[in-house]
């Protein structure tokens, strides 16, 4: 039997590239579609160095539906789509909401058009814990209602989920899964691929590694007056290789028709909350490298604490996270050093 073929949108990005590695190592064939708006095509060399396989990338803007479908059609058929392509800067989305609506919602609509025109039966969507807004109870389960979107980026993830829910409910034979990531971090253990955005890093783990390597003088901890163990915010950091694995399990699940509903959502977090100060200390312990930090004011829009109840994904997809915060920090540091050489 030939290998299932998966179209990975945003395959040159951070999570997409790690997922491609996991898919290739699990026997899938992969084609990427990415226009490089927040990535470098050099990542394809890293994927090849790890897996021994060269992945083809179609360089087209997915928000231009007609052009994208025509370009992708030439490389079909596909058994499934994993849809990562999106702009992801919360900060930028506040200043450029239309850019985010057009790019992210436009690309999501294109994936449905691809499913129609190329007769692709299954899709996995990159959603986010941001869909919960500010949750009242912790940990959050998938039954926690979507909160009011905190920003335009969050609105694009909520919209994506709403559109897919309606699409799969009304399209016999097509199935989909949204994975709600908590805080992805870390890098492949080879240090051949990792996070290399074209935009300035704002997420905690790359800010830690950039400070440790001397690109920043010091790291600002956004608030130490939250109601947590040490006053700093709590998040659920999930290693990118564990996250990648979940996509392979999710597409397997749909291909084997093990799903009970046409469309399902899953939390994708390890289920443990870590404070900002604990994360910094974990980095220092795991690497032996000091990080200069100072306590600053709260960052606007930050939720005090959020972490996942991951019972559904562990029970239904058999996902089991294998990496902890120390391993996240070790791999992120190895990648930081490798990419600055
Ligand atoms: P990333 O920016 O590294 O990867 C996204 C990729 O999509 C990039 O390579 C970019 O060039 C490509 N892309 C964007 N718009 C495109 C378009 N119109 N046409 C073609 N290619 C396009 O981001 P990531 O961290 O790998 O995130 C992947 C997905 O996961 C995104 O949908 C993001 O919103 C979601 N997500 C990320 C996080 C996180 O913290 N990294 C958390 C929750 C959800
Ligand atoms: C983590 C913690 C900060 C930087 C964002 C998006 C979310 C999702 C994941 C896509 C917070 C603190 C950070 C710094 C700090 N993305 N921090 N100093 O905000 O939980 O989530 O990425 O869907 O939608 O909002 O992640 O890494 O920015 O912050 O103290 O310099 O680290 O306050 O508590 P966040 P983050």
């Amino acid at each position: 039997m030939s290998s299932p073929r998966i179209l990975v949108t945003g395959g040159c990005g951070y999570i997409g590239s790690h997922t491609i590695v996991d898919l290739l190592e699990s026997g899938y064939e992969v084609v990427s579609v990415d226009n490089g708006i927040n990535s470098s095509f050099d990542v394809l060399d890293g994927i090849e160095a790890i897996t021994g396989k060269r992945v083809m990338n179609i360089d087209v803007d997915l928000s231009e539906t007609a052009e994208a479908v025509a370009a992708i059609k030439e490389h079909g058929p596909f058994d499934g789509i994993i849809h990562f392509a999106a702009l992801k800067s919360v900060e930028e989305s506040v200043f450029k909401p239309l850019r985010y609506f057009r790019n992210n919602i436009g690309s999501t609509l294109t994936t449905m058009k691809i499913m129609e025109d190329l007769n692709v039966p299954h899709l996995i969507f990159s959603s986010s814990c941001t869909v919960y807004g500010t949750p009242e109870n912790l940990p959050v389960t998938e039954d926690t209602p979507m909160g009011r979107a905190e920003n335009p980026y969050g609105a694009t993830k909520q919209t994506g989920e709403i559109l897919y829910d309606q699409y799969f409910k009304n399209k016999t034979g097509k199935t989909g899964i949204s994975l709600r990531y908590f805080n992805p971090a870390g890098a492949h253990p080879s240090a051949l691929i990792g996070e290399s955005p074209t935009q300035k890093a704002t997420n905690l783990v790359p800010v830690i590694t950039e400070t440790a390597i001397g690109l920043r003088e010091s790291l600002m901890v956004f608030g130490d007056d939250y109601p947590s163990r040490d006053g700093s915010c709590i998040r659920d950091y999930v290693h990118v290789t564990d996250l990648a694995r979940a996509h392979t399990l999710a597409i397997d699940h749909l291909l084997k028709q093990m799903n009970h509903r046409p469309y399902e959502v899953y939390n994708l977090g390890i289920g443990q909350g870590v404070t900002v100060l604990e994360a910094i200390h974990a980095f220092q312990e795991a690497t032996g490298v000091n990080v200069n930090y100072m306590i600053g004011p709260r960052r606007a829009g930050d939720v005090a604490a959020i972490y996942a109840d991951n019972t559904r994904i562990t029970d239904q997809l058999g996902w089991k996270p294998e990496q902890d915060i120390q391993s996240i920090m070790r791999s992120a540091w190895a990648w930081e050093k490798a990419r600055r050489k």
Side-chain angles (χ1 to χ4, degrees):
M1 215 180 79
S2 62
S3 309
R5 296 187 84 230
I6 307 298
L7 181 71
V8 176
T9 79
C12 298
Y14 172 45
I15 304 169
S17 56
H18 288 81
T19 301
I20 289 179
V21 167
D22 199 86
L23 287 165
L24 293 173
E25 288 177 344
S26 305
Y28 284 92
E29 228 187 277
V30 173
V31 172
S32 163
V33 48
D34 195 309
N35 66 350
I37 196 168
N38 193 37
S39 53
S40 152
F41 299 136
D42 293 348
V43 74
L44 300 168
D45 300 335
I47 294 172
E48 187 174 7
I50 297 167
T51 64
K53 292 176 185 155
R54 187 75 194 173
V55 168
M56 194 194 65
N57 180 63
I58 305 166
D59 178 1
V60 70
D61 181 348
L62 280 156
S63 66
E64 298 289 346
T65 303
E67 195 192 325
V69 174
I72 292 163
K73 221 173 208 167
E74 288 178 29
H75 302 284
F78 297 103
D79 300 289
I81 300 175
I82 305 185
H83 177 39
F84 294 102
L87 293 170
K88 64 166 179 176
S89 163
V90 167
E91 205 178 340
E92 187 192 38
S93 79
V94 173
F95 297 104
K96 298 181 182 168
L98 289 187
R99 180 169 197 244
Y100 275 68
F101 298 156
R102 190 172 192 290
N103 191 75
N104 294 3
I105 300 171
S107 299
T108 291
L109 291 174
T110 300
T111 61
M112 289 181 248
K113 184 74 174 138
I114 299 167
M115 294 186 86
E116 302 274 293
D117 288 12
L118 278 74
N119 200 20
V120 184
H122 311 296
L123 176 135
I124 311 297
F125 175 54
S126 292
S127 189
S128 167
C129 66
T130 192
V131 300
Y132 295 116
T134 306
E136 277 177 20
N137 298 308
L138 292 171
V140 280
T141 73
E142 291 83 353
D143 297 325
T144 302
M146 280 192 195
R148 181 167 187 236
E150 300 276 351
N151 47 64
Y153 167 77
T156 68
K157 291 296 164 193
Q158 292 188 338
T159 305
E161 286 202 15
I162 291 165
L163 297 178
Y164 285 128
D165 181 35
Q166 290 301 323
Y167 181 72
F168 290 113
K169 197 159 77 181
N170 294 294
K171 273 280 166 195
T172 312
K174 302 221 190 270
T175 59
I177 284 176
S178 285
L179 297 174
R180 293 175 174 166
Y181 313 156
F182 280 66
N183 287 58
H188 192 270
S190 64
L192 290 164
I193 57 171
E195 187 166 14
S196 36
T198 54
Q199 293 171 327
K200 190 170 161 264
T202 57
N203 289 126
L204 180 63
V205 176
V207 171
I208 291 176
T209 57
E210 287 183 7
T211 309
I213 210 160
L215 289 171
R216 298 169 189 248
E217 243 172 56
S218 124
L219 146 65
M220 177 88 80
V221 174
F222 297 137
D224 70 346
D225 56 352
Y226 287 98
S228 72
R229 292 183 286 280
D230 55 28
S232 62
C233 289
I234 292 180
R235 295 289 183 275
D236 183 335
Y237 298 93
V238 49
H239 198 294
V240 67
T241 57
D242 281 331
L243 195 85
R245 184 83 206 120
H247 294 77
T248 308
L249 294 171
I251 199 77
D252 276 351
H253 187 77
L254 295 183
L255 285 166
K256 290 179 185 150
Q257 301 184 348
M258 288 164 73
N259 54 303
H260 298 298
R261 302 186 208 181
Y263 172 72
E264 188 59 275
V265 299
Y266 293 95
N267 281 343
L268 186 38
I270 68 167
Q272 279 165 32
V274 171
T275 71
V276 176
L277 290 169
E278 286 167 351
I280 295 170
H281 295 142
F283 176 85
Q284 296 184 150
E285 274 164 34
T287 65
V289 178
N290 191 48
V291 180
N292 291 329
Y293 66 87
M294 55 178 141
I295 308 293
R298 291 182 176 194
R299 181 172 70 177
D302 264 343
V303 178
I306 186 161
Y307 52 95
D309 178 322
N310 60 18
T311 312
R312 186 183 287 178
I313 193 165
T314 51
D315 283 0
Q316 294 185 13
L317 300 189
W319 181 71
K320 197 169 166 292
E322 287 172 1
Q323 312 289 337
D324 60 10
I325 189 77
Q326 300 259 344
S327 158
I328 286 176
M329 295 304 182
R330 257 192 307 276
S331 64
W333 181 232
W335 167 244
E336 183 71 64
K337 288 187 290 181
R339 71 188 283 241
R340 304 296 174 191
K341 268 189 190 150

